[in-house]
Amino acid sequence: MTKISSSIMILRKVPASAWTKDLDDKMNQWLVQYVNWLENNSLAAEEKASTKSASPLVSPLIYIDLIRR
């Protein structure tokens, strides 16, 4: 997710002609669905409840937040 978010932010800043508003909107829609899956999927719930290590779900959510700003 780190590389994806960095790439999207670069495409927005340049601005890249291939990175259209339509593509950006679709990416945001996909991110909403992905966050919903991360927050509601049974595997994600098990991972959140695990006390073995820090949740690997936190990092993607941070980068998704950066993209969606």
Side-chain angles (χ1 to χ4, degrees):
M1 191 54 70
T2 306
K3 290 180 182 182
I4 293 170
S5 62
S6 296
S7 299
I8 290 171
M9 289 188 281
I10 290 169
L11 289 169
R12 287 175 178 167
K13 291 285 183 190
V14 170
S17 60
W19 189 254
T20 63
K21 180 172 176 2
D22 184 53
L23 284 176
D24 199 65
D25 290 344
K26 288 178 181 177
M27 184 65 188
N28 279 319
Q29 290 171 359
W30 181 85
L31 289 168
V32 168
Q33 293 172 343
Y34 182 57
V35 168
N36 184 50
W37 181 85
L38 285 175
E39 292 176 340
N40 298 302
N41 183 274
S42 61
L43 291 174
E46 289 176 30
E47 188 62 38
K48 286 180 196 174
S50 174
T51 58
K52 295 179 183 175
S53 64
S55 174
L57 300 176
V58 173
S59 181
L61 292 174
I62 291 169
Y63 290 107
I64 289 168
D65 186 55
L66 288 173
I67 296 169
R68 297 198 61 228
R69 290 182 183 195

